[in-house]
Amino acid sequence: MQQQSSVGTRSLSASRAEMSEILMPNDTNNLGRALGGRILEWMDVCGAIAGRRFAERQVVTASMDHVDFLAPIDVGDVVTVEAYVFDTGRTSMDIKVDVTAERPSEGDRRETITSFFTFVALDDDEKPSPVPDLVCDSQEERELRDAALQKRREHRAALAEEFE
């Protein structure tokens, strides 16, 4: 990431965001499965909430890493999107966003998507604004941060191999 900020610190847990939706017919393709664009929209919104909580100001999406749809999401599934800040720069935040789908009546819950977003904090003039430094107050938070950093490195290495 970029050079660190000087606006204090915030914990990983301060950024956590979760939202759930039932996948309805209007959010599906002709096979009754989730439209990728709808899920990406939900991921962007959840990531923005995590970023706003962390930075305590408005944020904008700067980038989204490669996205793989690992498992289908079917009409009627409960879709849960979870996000948290795992790394910061001077004005930017890296946010891990995970999507799971579940069919509660069948006890079925599956991971469907993981991606990494970068958001930039904005001041009142809509210019990039410093963000707090990330601190991990517990072993669980350190493990989440470290796992996200490792998974992102693996994603990037795999992409680099594809384009060699």
Side-chain angles (χ1 to χ4, degrees), residues 3-96:
Q3 176 184 343
Q4 293 294 299
S5 75
S6 61
V7 293
T9 62
R10 291 206 32 99
S11 69
L12 183 147
S13 63
S15 71
R16 285 190 141 176
E18 179 180 310
M19 51 190 268
S20 295
E21 299 276 348
I22 295 175
L23 189 69
M24 301 299 282
N26 283 345
D27 301 321
T28 65
N29 60 25
N30 60 328
L31 300 173
R33 297 215 166 117
L35 289 168
R38 176 70 68 205
I39 303 303
L40 292 174
E41 176 187 350
W42 294 344
M43 293 171 74
D44 190 41
V45 169
C46 193
I49 292 168
R52 286 184 71 180
R53 285 182 173 161
F54 185 83
E56 296 181 323
R57 58 182 54 252
Q58 191 60 261
V59 300
V60 293
T61 308
S63 69
M64 175 180 27
D65 282 10
H66 186 81
V67 177
D68 287 318
F69 293 86
L70 306 172
I73 303 171
D74 297 313
V75 68
D77 284 352
V78 175
V79 180
T80 301
V81 184
E82 298 175 85
Y84 61 88
V85 173
F86 70 91
D87 200 11
T88 59
R90 192 178 73 74
T91 62
S92 63
M93 299 157 285
D94 286 337
I95 299 175
K96 184 172 189 269

Side-chain angles (χ1 to χ4, degrees), residues 100-116:
T100 58
E102 67 178 302
R103 181 69 47 122
S105 60
E106 298 172 13
D108 175 43
R109 182 177 169 99
R110 61 203 175 281
E111 295 179 17
T112 60
I113 305 167
T114 294
S115 190
F116 301 94

Side-chain angles (χ1 to χ4, degrees), residues 12 16 136-145:
L12 183 147
R16 285 190 141 176
C136 296
D137 292 331
S138 68
Q139 183 62 29
E140 176 193 8
E141 287 184 8
R142 286 187 288 280
E143 289 171 1
L144 281 171
R145 178 202 59 211

Side-chain angles (χ1 to χ4, degrees), residues 147-161:
L149 288 167
Q150 179 61 32
K151 188 158 190 154
R152 186 176 220 188
R153 277 192 293 272
E154 291 169 2
H155 268 194
R156 288 181 170 174
L159 282 174
E161 284 181 24

